[in-house]
Amino acid sequence: MATGTPTRALFMLFGGTGDLALRKLYPAIFNLYKKGSLSNDHFALIGLSRKELTDDEFRAKIIDSVSSEADQPEQAQAFASHFYWKSHDVTNNDHYSELSDLADQLEAKYATEGNRVFYVSMAPRFFGIVAQSLHDQGVLSTNGGFNRLVIEKPFGRDYASAKELNDALTSAFNENQIYRIDHYLGKETTQAIPVLRFGNPMLEAVWNHEYIKDVQVTLAEKLGVEDRAGYYDTAGALRDMIQNHTLQIVSYLAMDQPNSFVDTEIRREKVKALESMEIYDAEGVKQNFVRGQYGAGPDSVPYREEPGVPSDSNNDTYAAGKIVFNNHRWGDTPFYIRSGKKLADKQGRIDIEFKKPLVDIFAKGTKQPAELQGNVLSFYIDPKIGVTLSVNTKDSEQGLHTETIDLNYLQGADRAAQVPLPYERLFHDILTGDGTYFASWPEVAAAWKFVDPVQKLWDQEPGDFPNYESGSMGPKAADDLLARDDNQWYWPHNVH
Ligand code: NAD
């Protein structure tokens, strides 16, 4: 269902026939069109890349891209009729002048009220030049509508390159016009974290080091590098999954309560949390971070034998770490994070482990009960969606025996199928100007400052690779990391 007045907008999509655009972006815009969040009459999209295409050829690609979401073929055709193609080299200034003329024409034709969304879905080296050229060559709207710039990942390779990119973007757009995409923030469960925390005083009252033993964030993939070696071998798990998605999730878990649920307030609290992470020196990195690279497994070749991967690659396909927050809320409660490829299962999940009861009064009886366990609140991000809470209760046998059960809210297939896809949610927020689920620059900067010393050490010292079997749960050192604190990964060891 649409909420509010449908937004009028002219989109300009750089990388208009790229993989991401065809697989994710057009279906997302189409769903907003179907649901009425995007005005059905007053929108148009200009697709851009160096390719020479006619409008009809471009529209055929669009129909193909959205056909599985369409109620009838006519709906996809009507949608595609708003699409225009322009061959455009992002390094050629003349092309921006032509783009500006086309944008003016379409703006008049579709009465889009000067609202322009520039989506840069291209290799990151082009992000800065596109933003600056849009500004310098006069493609930004001056008619009183909005100009919003959407940037794909990755946002830099380290703090220095991210800052350089951000400086380029902010020379052309204000921070509040920039939407840095992190599609994990468009996921149902990620968006539920603040509501579960700040909507339930019962939870927020115990959301601190006094009651929480540790927090675990896992983004595990079953797939390997597939056909992305060209990009992935220069990135690795730390840059590809930890610096952005994982630390963003951590920020929602660790932040203090914002004064109100508006993006400026939320961002302020997220930044405070991220900036209070302890930054490790080289010795701290060795103690608190673990890297891995997958070896062979049943039906799997080692990473170093994957197509396009150098046979001596030092790239991390797995990263785990311990975060310590230097703040009052978290004190000595560690956050453990991990992400890797070729693991035993695909699971995006968060496990909040609460402390055990200080006194186990049942253990003093004569009835031989099971040991009481600490409660565990688990958020299921992907592929399952939902929340479970483990609690101690009595079993149904004669006499008093305790057992641990899960209070369980996992969405069934029907409801899960209704959940908007991440890019649809994020496009909706771009159109309504809501930056709640986008990474702000100070957050990105804090995350890079935390990750940089880890990456630096890993670049300097080759890893002892491969060090985990494909289809396993990652390197043993990642289990040892928790064992040193007398902890254990909750998943898969302790899940009921
Ligand atoms: P892609 O290579 O499929 O598409 C890139 C597009 O840029 C193509 O349309 C190409 O023609 C165009 N292009 C290249 N050089 C150009 C130039 N000089 N002038 C104009 N156009 C030019 O890439 P993709 O997989 O769609 O990824 C796009 C962005 O999205 C990247 O930043 C990537 O990191 C990010 N991303 C992609 C995925 C995915 O699943 N594909 C997932 C997450 C993030």
Side-chain angles (χ1 to χ4, degrees):
M1 292 288 287
T3 48
T5 316
T7 307
R8 301 178 177 215
L10 172 64
F11 296 87
M12 285 168 243
L13 209 156
F14 295 85
T17 51
D19 173 66
L20 185 75
L22 293 172
R23 277 193 311 113
K24 303 271 167 100
L25 305 185
Y26 298 135
I29 300 174
F30 181 62
N31 279 336
L32 292 177
Y33 168 87
K34 263 173 59 176
K35 294 175 186 174
S37 305
L38 176 64
S39 168
N40 282 8
D41 298 324
H42 304 288
F43 95 95
L45 185 146
I46 307 173
L48 301 141
S49 86
R50 284 176 304 188
K51 278 199 177 69
E52 299 284 350
L53 289 180
T54 64
D55 289 343
D56 283 343
E57 285 167 333
F58 182 42
R59 288 171 190 171
K61 287 181 189 293
I62 301 304
I63 292 171
D64 201 34
S65 157
V66 305
S67 59
S68 62
E69 308 283 326
D71 300 330
Q72 331 78 23
E74 296 74 33
Q75 192 180 34
Q77 281 159 10
F79 175 71
S81 72
H82 292 250
F83 283 62
Y84 296 81
W85 183 257
K86 180 168 180 326
S87 171
H88 180 101
D89 181 344
V90 297
T91 60
N92 184 329
N93 280 347
D94 293 340
H95 289 184
Y96 289 92
S97 312
E98 295 163 17
L99 174 61
S100 180
D101 292 344
L102 178 59
D104 289 344
Q105 281 169 33
L106 294 176
E107 200 153 83
K109 177 169 177 178
Y110 289 97
T112 51
E113 296 180 339
N115 295 331
R116 296 187 179 182
V117 176
F118 307 95
Y119 199 120
V120 194
S121 178
M122 301 180 67
R125 66 181 183 282
F126 295 124
F127 294 168
I129 187 164
V130 172
Q132 282 177 321
S133 306
L134 287 169
H135 176 267
D136 297 350
Q137 306 308 320
V139 193
L140 301 194
S141 162
T142 50
N143 306 340
F146 59 69
N147 288 295
R148 293 181 184 149
L149 177 73
V150 189
I151 294 293
E152 262 300 330
K153 78 169 207 182
F155 202 92
R157 300 182 43 75
D158 51 22
Y159 173 70
S161 58
K163 173 147 186 352
E164 197 178 313
L165 169 57
N166 199 60
D167 288 347
L169 301 185
T170 50
S171 70
F173 290 82
N174 301 327
E175 170 67 22
N176 63 9
Q177 295 176 310
I178 302 173
Y179 293 76
R180 296 174 194 80
I181 292 273
D182 184 325
H183 70 278
Y184 267 81
L185 303 190
K187 290 183 186 269
E188 173 78 352
T189 304
T190 317
Q191 299 202 347
I193 296 170
V195 185
L196 279 157
R197 283 192 55 190
F198 305 123
N200 297 296
M202 184 186 90
L203 281 181
E204 191 51 18
V206 293
W207 207 263
N208 57 52
H209 70 101
E210 284 183 50
Y211 293 96
I212 294 181
K213 179 165 75 83
D214 64 85
V215 175
Q216 305 182 7
V217 180
T218 300
L219 301 180
E221 296 174 70
K222 212 171 168 175
L223 290 176
V225 66
E226 307 299 295
D227 56 2
R228 293 175 66 224
Y231 156 70
Y232 191 76
D233 198 64
T234 63
L238 189 68
R239 286 194 183 99
D240 190 48
M241 296 296 291
I242 299 287
Q243 184 276 337
N244 40 31
H245 311 311
T246 314
L247 290 181
Q248 276 293 321
I249 291 170
V250 164
S251 71
Y252 288 97
L253 294 167
M255 71 195 248
D256 284 345
Q257 179 163 321
N259 291 342
S260 65
F261 206 66
V262 295
D263 50 11
T264 44
E265 299 288 336
I266 294 159
R267 288 172 167 194
R268 198 198 327 267
E269 296 305 335
K270 285 171 69 189
V271 174
K272 263 169 55 191
L274 290 170
E275 287 182 345
S276 63
M277 293 187 296
E278 184 166 326
I279 295 178
Y280 299 122
D281 60 13
E283 197 44 45
V285 170
K286 283 183 187 161
Q287 279 178 18
N288 294 298
F289 267 86
V290 171
R291 61 180 151 167
Q293 186 189 83
Y294 61 82
D299 306 322
S300 294
V301 297
Y303 176 71
R304 287 175 177 173
E305 289 176 27
E306 297 274 21
V309 174
S311 57
D312 61 349
S313 172
N314 187 44
N315 194 31
D316 49 302
T317 63
Y318 177 100
K322 170 177 165 179
I323 301 172
V324 175
F325 286 96
N326 291 315
N327 64 26
H328 181 70
R329 180 185 287 269
W330 294 112
D332 56 0
T333 295
F335 279 48
Y336 302 110
I337 54 177
R338 61 179 166 167
S339 180
K341 291 192 181 295
K342 283 276 180 185
L343 297 179
D345 200 6
K346 177 175 170 61
Q347 284 256 354
R349 61 181 297 137
I350 301 159
D351 298 295
I352 318 278
E353 295 202 296
F354 288 84
K355 293 181 179 174
K356 289 185 181 182
L358 284 178
V359 179
D360 184 349
I361 57 165
F362 305 105
K364 291 182 179 156
T366 54
K367 308 223 162 74
Q368 299 180 313
E371 190 186 349
L372 289 181
Q373 302 299 317
N375 302 113
V376 181
L377 179 66
S378 297
F379 295 82
Y380 289 79
I381 301 171
D382 201 6
K384 283 191 247 175
I385 297 175
V387 191
T388 61
L389 175 65
S390 79
V391 294
N392 297 304
T393 183
K394 79 175 270 308
D395 72 12
S396 46
E397 287 176 33
Q398 187 68 268
L400 193 129
H401 302 262
T402 62
E403 66 170 340
T404 307
I405 58 153
D406 275 347
L407 306 180
N408 179 326
Y409 170 69
L410 288 174
Q411 290 191 358
D414 285 356
R415 170 135 189 206
Q418 301 302 317
V419 169
L421 292 170
Y423 275 102
E424 183 185 333
R425 286 189 198 276
L426 297 177
F427 262 115
H428 175 273
D429 292 353
I430 292 161
L431 287 173
T432 54
D434 182 353
T436 299
Y437 294 107
F438 295 85
S440 68
W441 165 244
E443 295 163 36
V444 175
W448 275 124
K449 285 179 185 168
F450 176 73
V451 158
D452 269 0
V454 184
Q455 190 70 57
K456 190 172 161 208
L457 189 80
W458 289 1
D459 288 344
Q460 280 167 358
E461 296 183 5
D464 187 12
F465 294 151
N467 62 349
Y468 70 97
E469 195 183 326
S470 286
S472 71
M473 279 309 299
K476 181 178 171 300
D479 292 337
D480 299 342
L481 176 73
L482 275 68
R484 277 207 301 277
D485 299 338
D486 240 354
N487 285 325
Q488 194 179 35
W489 292 107
Y490 183 69
W491 176 71
H493 302 298
N494 300 323
V495 174
H496 308 117

